[in-house]
Each structure stands twice: as structure tokens, then as C-alpha cells.
Amino acid sequence: GTDEPWWKTAVVYQIYPRSFADSDGDGIGDLRGILGRLDHLAELGVDVLWLSPVHPSPHDDNGYDISDYYGIDPMYGTLADFDELLAAVHDRGMRLVMDLVVNHTSDEHPWFVASRDGGPDGPLRDWYWWRPARPGTVPGTPGAEPNNWGSFFSGPAWEYDETSGEYHLHLFSRKQPDLNWENPRVRQAVYAMMRWWLERGVDGFRMDVINLVSKDPSLPDGAVPEDGRYGDGSPYYVCGPRIHEYLAEMHREVFAGHPERLLTVGEMPGVTIEQARLFTDPARAEVDMVFQFEHVQLDHGVGKFDPRPLRLPELKASLARWQTGLGEVGWNSLYWNNHDQPRAVSRFGDDGPVHRVRSATALATVLHLHRGTPYVYQGEELGMTNAPFASVEDFRDIESLNHHAHAVADGADPEKVLDALRAMGRDNARTPVQWDDSPHAGFTQGTPWLPVNPNHTEINAAAAVADPGSVYHHYRRLIALRHTEPAVAFGDFTLLLPDDERIWAFTRRHEDASGGVIELLVLANLGSEPASAPVPADWAGAEALITNHSGAAPLTSPATPLAPWEARVHRRR
Ligand code: TEU
């Protein structure tokens, strides 16, 4: 429909600047490197670029620990470089969204330095969560932490400050102290900073763990799982007591002045469908869409580093639940990949030489034909894979390094821990983008901060652009289809064959303004063996809009053969 917001027909491309393109040879990607690759993105057809953080940071968590919200880290460039990039993005008719990390700052941010060094009675003490040791304990000793919560990055969620004898809360690394959003001065400082970037021309925000900013102020102990050491604090900080109040306030104070232009997406670990409907209901004016985590946690056992096999019906059902849940009210984001997830073709597809391209394009077809705004993560459009990590020394990510240290200290088999890091570690997504088959894949003239995947000699943008059958051109066709066929963005969703272990099939139905009905049928064989897809008689012969297999058989009923990892989209009017 025409009165729908622009982002319902948009595709967002996520850039992890550190690993995208390096222009000055220091081995770290930067803003001018992105500037030099804008044509690749414009030709792909994406509408929005989301940059992971580029602000000054000690890089304890690769920039998700910000020490100055108003600057650009020198390793990425200058504010002038940023303004030039923003103008170039706008010149190409694209928009640029920043990564807003305001659940926590770096412990080197002046706010935290003042809060810590100002002592218990200092003026900024209540900008963060400071608490004395648990009553009856010796401050600074194990078990004296104010509550029993664990950090997402292993260990306790509290860091002891010798000077004051108190602890500060950090849900992530000890160098990422949580801001106290109960304090209106904190919220106003965040809103002022957001307005400053919007007035600079930025087109919105991806909001890092924004559903964690409201905590139960009593910070109660969580239940300790039988095999765990730390309490589960999530009931007290996931979608906490005042989260909707805060996001509604943020909308009034920041977004209301720019109603049509912006895209806001809240990253929300642990969010439920019911909560997501509240967050994304336009009538509530909170956020446009959320990143939920249900489908990327189905293969988690006891946590992400305990991977377990995933059956296709579970994955299909998960996405279908969110389609139904946000079908009438609210809006979905759609993703397989980002800088925190392993590469989808390795995790959900088959990244071997025979099936890599077709499994990557099958996964893309299925995702992009769901209802919601798709997010393409850098390199996903090239079918980039997980990388080989020989030993723990090859990893850079604090989440992986902390997990390895804690698990091995707790007696886990180091080889098993290493296998889990290889499968699920975030560094898999952070190896440099593979631009060509030259040394370091054209990412840098220097030594990359994280080695380039050796398979860049075959898997790279230059080869992909030159090959009409590449993953790249399939993404380009999927994005173009979203821009031309309204049923892709606005059609409803019906899952077919829910229990089939290999075939993913669903329909989309859209009634246009003149009463015409468009229906799409998506069929995909998510396995390395041939399969036969049941096809209702009234779909036989329907035109094929997109296929990932040049030898695709005509659509016949009662069944149509599908090659391994074959995916196709048909339309009937
Ligand atoms: O991620 C939040 C988050 O929940 C992830 O840490 C996720 O739990 C895990 O990585 C996947 O198993 C955001 C950012 O995307 C991430 O890069 C940061 O490390 C984190 O917040 C802290 O800012």
C-alpha cells in the first residue's frame, strides 16, 4: 500500500566497519574504506546501511564500549570523513543508520570516570549502578558481589572498586558499566546525543540491547540453574518494569521531530512475540521493528557454546510464529546473520564446495520472501563462510576468549570448548570482507587485524559480480523483487508442510488497492538430497519469479522435483 512506511519495502545492509574495507593500510576497516565500496552496495540494491559503532572506544568489545558518543574513533577516521560518507550515501539514494549503544558506556567514558572517582556521594554516582558488597561478606572477596547475576561474557556481572569498596553492574564486559536509566539526567543526556546525530543527517538507529536498559531497581538475586554458578537475572532486566515508558519517552523526545524519515530497530535479546507487538505497534510510537533471538537460539543447548542439532520443522515454526504474531500489528525484522552470529551458510546451509552457493541462495530466498524488513550482513551476499581457527590464540572476541578461559578453568575439555568456539564464535562473522583473490582479499594493503579466510581465492566480490549464478546476483534479484512486487512486503503468510524435515514451503497473499489478488508460492529444499515438493493442482504452471537452479523443472502437480538446496518463487494472479 502507498500509505505504508518506506522501511516496509526496504532492505538494510549491516556494515561492521572494522572488517569491511581498510583505506589506510593499518589493517582495520575505516570510513573511507566504506566510501570506496559504496558502488558495490548501490548495485546490490540495498536501501539502508547500518554501521556498527564507529565512536571512540578502547575496543574491549570492538566498539560496543563507547567512550565518546560525539566523536569518531581515529582508527575509523574523522567526523569530516563521516559527513562525507553520509553525503555520499544520501547522494546514492540510500540512508544511513547508526548503532546506538546506551545500555552501557565504556568504563573510560568521562561519565563513568566521574561516577567512579567521585565516590559514593559524587554528583554522577547515580549515573551507573553502584552497590555495596552483599551484607555479611568481606568486600572484594568472591561471593561478596551485590547479587548473584552473571555477565553475558562469563564471570560475575559486578566489578569491585577498591577505593569506594562498592561494585558497579556490567551485564557485558567489566569495561562496559551499565547506565542507570532510572536517572532522568542519564536519559536526557542520551536523547540530546541522539538528536545531535539526527540533526547531522543520520537516518535512524539500531539500538543495542535496548530492552535491557530498565532494571528492577532492587536488583534481586536470580534463580541459579543446577549446573550454573550465577543467578539468572534476566527476569529483572529483560523488558524491565519501565522499558515501554522509556521508549515512548525517547520517541517523544527524539523521533517525533522526524516522523517519516527514520528507521529505528531495537535489538532485544529475550524479547517475546507479545512484547514485540507492544514495541512495534505504530499506535504506541516506540520503535519500528526489533531484532528477536528465538530462531538463532534454537541450536543452543545450555547456552550458545553448547550447540545442538536443529531440525528444520523447529526453524520453520519459529519464523512462522513471528509472522503470525506480528502479522496484523507490528513489524518483523528478518535476519540470519550479523556480527554476533556464525555465518548462516555454515550454520543452516552446507558450506562445502558442492552446495555452498545453492544453500546460501536457498536460505536467502526463504528469508527474503517472509513478511518483514530483511537485513543483509556484510559478506552474506557473497556466501562467505565460517573461518578456520586453529587454536584459541586465533580468536579476538571477548565473548569467546572469556568463555574459553572460564570453561577450561571449570574443567571443560579444551578441545570441546575450541570446537564450540569454531562453530558459534562471533569472530566467524568478523573476518574481513573478501573483495577479490589478491592477498588479504583486497581488504587491506597492511596486515588485517583478524586473518582473511583462506577461501577468499574462490569466494570474493569480484568473482561474484562476474558470475550471473552467484550468491551476489541472487541477493540482487531478491532485493529487486521486494522493490517491484508488493506481495513480498505486504502479503500475508501461510506456512505449508510444517512437519516436512526437508522442504520449506509457504504462500504469501496480497490484495492490492484495486481488489486484485496476488499470491506467491515459495518452495525450497533445505537438504543435500533431491526432494519432491507437493504442489496443489491450482498452482501447476504458475510463473517462476526467482529460482536458484538453472535446470528447475516446470511447476507441476501433484509434485515437483527439487534438486538439493533448490529454491523457487512462483506467482499467480
Ligand atoms: O549483543 C547483545 C547480545 O545479546 C549478544 O551479546 C548476544 O547475546 C551474543 O553475542 C550472541 O550469542 C549486542 C551487540 O550486538 C554485541 O556485539 C555486543 O557485544 C553486546 O550487545 C554488548 O554491547
Side-chain angles (χ1 to χ4, degrees):
T2 49
D3 57 349
E4 296 282 2
W6 61 270
W7 36 262
K8 287 196 171 182
T9 53
V11 175
V12 184
Y13 187 96
Q14 181 193 356
I15 292 175
Y16 192 68
R18 174 181 281 270
S19 306
F20 188 73
D22 169 24
S23 72
D24 61 8
D26 67 354
I28 299 172
D30 48 49
L31 296 177
R32 303 206 69 82
I34 300 170
L35 193 58
R37 295 290 182 181
L38 286 185
D39 288 341
H40 171 81
L41 301 173
E43 283 148 26
L44 183 59
V46 297
D47 305 281
V48 185
L49 307 185
W50 150 30
L51 292 195
S52 279
V54 291
H55 301 297
S57 163
H59 297 282
D60 191 55
D61 184 18
N62 288 4
Y64 281 89
D65 48 321
I66 293 171
S67 55
D68 172 8
Y69 287 104
Y70 289 86
I72 300 296
D73 194 299
M75 72 168 57
Y76 294 130
T78 65
L79 262 178
D81 293 329
F82 180 84
D83 291 340
E84 187 178 340
L85 174 62
L86 183 59
V89 168
H90 286 164
D91 286 350
R92 284 173 174 74
M94 295 190 286
R95 298 172 203 251
L96 189 136
V97 157
M98 301 272 278
D99 208 318
L100 180 80
V101 185
V102 290
N103 172 69
H104 47 269
T105 68
S106 164
D107 67 344
E108 297 180 28
H109 192 292
W111 293 343
F112 183 78
V113 173
S115 180
R116 180 193 58 212
D117 297 353
D121 306 320
L124 266 69
R125 195 65 166 186
D126 64 349
W127 280 54
Y128 295 85
W129 294 91
W130 290 98
R131 289 290 186 280
R134 183 185 294 272
T137 65
V138 175
T141 61
E145 294 84 7
N147 71 21
N148 65 4
W149 297 359
S151 154
F152 280 90
F153 293 159
S154 305
W158 296 91
E159 180 71 7
Y160 183 57
D161 168 45
E162 288 271 348
T163 311
S164 65
E166 294 190 334
Y167 294 76
H168 80 256
L169 175 67
H170 60 88
L171 295 183
F172 292 92
S173 90
R174 40 183 290 281
K175 286 180 66 64
Q176 291 171 296
D178 282 54
L179 280 167
N180 171 15
W181 275 65
E182 296 292 312
N183 182 342
R185 285 184 301 283
V186 167
R187 304 201 303 270
Q188 287 306 326
V190 167
Y191 303 155
M193 175 269 290
M194 295 174 74
R195 287 193 294 266
W196 189 83
W197 282 104
L198 293 182
E199 281 143 28
R200 203 169 191 92
V202 158
D203 300 297
F205 297 99
R206 175 267 189 184
M207 301 191 244
D208 190 63
V209 295
I210 197 67
N211 67 318
L212 308 188
V213 297
S214 169
K215 277 83 170 171
D216 174 339
S218 63
L219 305 177
D221 277 343
V224 182
E226 75 280 354
D227 58 353
R229 169 176 310 165
Y230 298 103
D232 172 15
S234 63
Y236 308 109
Y237 59 73
V238 171
C239 301
R242 301 179 65 184
I243 187 60
H244 292 288
E245 174 199 337
Y246 293 159
L247 287 178
E249 179 185 64
M250 178 188 283
H251 195 283
R252 286 195 306 277
E253 300 260 352
V254 180
F255 304 139
H258 310 262
E260 302 307 318
R261 175 165 68 95
L262 304 185
L263 182 150
T264 58
V265 51
E267 187 214 22
M268 299 198 176
V271 72
T272 60
I273 292 171
E274 292 66 36
Q275 281 284 355
R277 198 182 299 124
L278 297 175
F279 286 119
T280 61
D281 177 354
R284 292 169 56 92
E286 294 183 20
V287 293
D288 297 326
M289 60 191 90
V290 304
F291 289 135
Q292 53 93 10
F293 282 68
E294 187 182 288
H295 61 308
V296 292
Q297 290 179 337
L298 295 170
D299 59 357
H300 289 189
V302 179
K304 69 183 282 186
F305 292 118
D306 172 27
R308 65 174 193 80
L310 172 60
R311 292 176 47 253
L312 182 63
E314 293 176 72
L315 187 61
K316 298 192 287 189
S318 176
L319 269 74
R321 268 196 299 278
W322 283 84
Q323 293 287 295
T324 306
L326 301 183
E328 301 305 319
V329 172
W331 191 250
N332 276 294
S333 69
L334 304 170
Y335 73 95
W336 293 133
N337 289 284
N338 58 42
H339 62 293
D340 293 333
Q341 300 295 332
R343 291 279 180 181
V345 69
S346 302
R347 180 185 196 176
F348 300 119
D350 177 339
D351 62 8
V354 176
H355 297 303
R356 180 184 62 83
V357 170
R358 193 167 288 155
S359 67
T361 52
L363 288 165
T365 304
V366 162
L367 188 74
H368 282 244
L369 268 292
H370 274 73
R371 178 184 173 90
T373 298
Y375 287 71
V376 178
Y377 177 63
Q378 66 181 39
E380 176 187 342
E381 82 280 14
L382 306 178
M384 278 177 63
T385 68
N386 280 357
F389 295 94
S391 74
V392 67
E393 285 72 35
D394 289 348
F395 292 92
R396 296 289 178 281
D397 175 24
I398 187 166
E399 181 187 50
S400 293
L401 295 172
N402 283 6
H403 171 71
H404 183 273
H406 281 79
V408 168
D410 287 352
D413 170 356
E415 270 314 304
K416 281 195 172 28
V417 177
L418 203 50
D419 283 343
L421 296 189
R422 287 185 182 116
M424 303 299 279
R426 306 191 298 179
D427 287 308
N428 280 301
R430 301 172 180 188
T431 61
V433 171
Q434 298 162 196
W435 295 105
D436 58 41
D437 63 2
S438 72
H440 306 315
F443 164 71
T444 181
Q445 296 307 312
T447 304
W449 70 279
L450 181 67
V452 173
N453 193 319
N455 65 21
H456 76 275
T457 49
E458 295 86 49
I459 303 172
N460 62 70
V465 171
D467 169 9
S470 66
V471 180
Y472 170 86
H473 285 296
H474 196 84
Y475 269 85
R476 193 178 49 71
R477 287 191 286 272
L478 286 170
I479 295 166
L481 183 64
R482 175 169 293 269
H483 292 153
T484 54
E485 173 47 71
V488 174
F490 303 110
D492 64 13
F493 177 91
T494 305
L495 181 66
L496 310 176
L497 311 173
D499 302 327
D500 196 295
E501 297 278 345
R502 282 226 301 258
I503 293 172
W504 201 331
F506 55 89
T507 56
R508 305 288 310 277
R509 186 178 189 283
H510 176 61
E511 199 160 325
D512 64 27
S514 60
V517 173
I518 301 278
E519 288 182 290
L520 305 176
L521 169 66
V522 181
L523 296 174
N525 171 6
L526 276 291
S528 300
E529 298 300 323
S532 169
V535 172
D538 53 5
W539 272 100
E543 68 174 311
L545 295 181
I546 283 191
T547 73
N548 69 350
H549 176 37
S550 55
L555 193 66
T556 51
S557 183
T560 298
L562 294 180
W565 300 102
E566 176 179 349
R568 45 208 286 176
V569 183
H570 293 267
R571 176 173 61 194
R572 73 179 186 192
R573 298 175 189 286

